[in-house]
Amino acid sequence: GRETSTMTTPLEPNSKLPELPDSRYQVAGKLGDGGMATVYRALDTEENRWVAIKLLHPKYIGRSKIRQRFSNEAQAMHRLRHRNIIRVSDANTSALQPYFVMEMAEGGCVVEWLAEYGAMPPRMAVDIAIQICKGLGAAHREGVVHRDVKPHNILVTRRGICKITDFGIAQFD
């Protein structure tokens, strides 16, 4: 879903920040909510870079099937190394508050791009399609089928690099 938007919303003054076992990540705001998780913008204090942290919603922590799906997503994305796939750099899916850490794609998703700039020029649309095909090809070579490719799950960096995200319902060989 829209969980990977890069438009950070400030946290409510009285809202409780997520408790992570690793204090290296300083949460700065919420990027978005999805069906089973919330994504936050955070500073990785060890690497001095912005990251996105995806946390499983507390209401699903006790549901083993959803927790396993969340863990599978983290494992699939960590395994996939391609410039057109969002990279997972850290994860703790066995923690009381399961989470994984992803690279930050500052440009937002394709839907946000279209809302801001309007229809894409044909050459740009073709370039995006080619980049997504390259990312999906890399995933398929690793035995991962995304199964939810849509504009909300395609992020565009400020440099114009498209990255596939949200492998939550992916199928694995």
Side-chain angles (χ1 to χ4, degrees):
R2 289 193 55 129
E3 5 186 275
T4 47
S5 163
T6 58
M7 301 171 96
T8 305
T9 54
L11 294 167
E12 298 292 322
N14 296 326
S15 69
K16 188 173 184 223
L17 295 177
E19 303 272 337
L20 297 179
D22 192 337
S23 61
R24 78 183 264 185
Y25 305 108
Q26 295 178 351
V27 176
K30 185 164 70 169
L31 293 172
D33 277 312
M36 69 176 186
T38 301
V39 178
Y40 293 92
R41 179 184 183 92
L43 179 64
D44 178 342
T45 58
E46 286 183 17
E47 304 268 336
N48 195 29
R49 66 185 172 108
W50 290 104
V51 295
I53 298 181
K54 188 170 188 174
L55 284 91
L56 185 63
H57 286 311
K59 66 183 176 182
Y60 295 126
I61 290 173
R63 296 188 52 191
S64 60
K65 281 187 179 181
I66 293 177
R67 195 174 174 125
Q68 185 59 51
R69 189 171 124 189
F70 186 80
S71 180
N72 288 347
E73 178 182 7
Q75 289 173 19
M77 291 179 73
H78 185 72
R79 184 167 93 185
L80 300 173
R81 302 281 189 229
H82 191 273
R83 82 177 255 160
N84 299 116
I85 297 173
I86 286 288
R87 187 171 184 170
V88 166
S89 58
D90 191 11
N92 189 341
T93 57
S94 61
L96 290 176
Q97 173 61 73
Y99 70 92
F100 59 89
V101 180
M102 304 173 285
E103 72 178 289
M104 177 67 70
E106 294 287 351
C109 71
V110 169
V111 172
E112 292 165 341
W113 193 96
L114 292 170
E116 187 168 339
Y117 302 108
M120 286 182 187
R123 191 174 298 249
M124 183 180 200
V126 168
D127 183 52
I128 287 174
I130 289 169
Q131 289 185 58
I132 298 315
C133 287
K134 287 178 179 180
L136 290 173
H140 292 178
R141 286 189 294 279
E142 292 295 322
V144 178
V145 179
H146 189 283
R147 298 185 349 156
D148 195 21
V149 178
K150 60 186 179 185
H152 284 104
N153 292 339
I154 307 301
L155 304 180
V156 184
T157 69
R158 290 200 172 124
R159 293 184 176 187
I161 299 169
C162 295
K163 296 188 175 268
I164 304 165
T165 191
D166 199 349
F167 283 74
I169 62 170
Q171 187 172 4
F172 312 91
D173 275 351

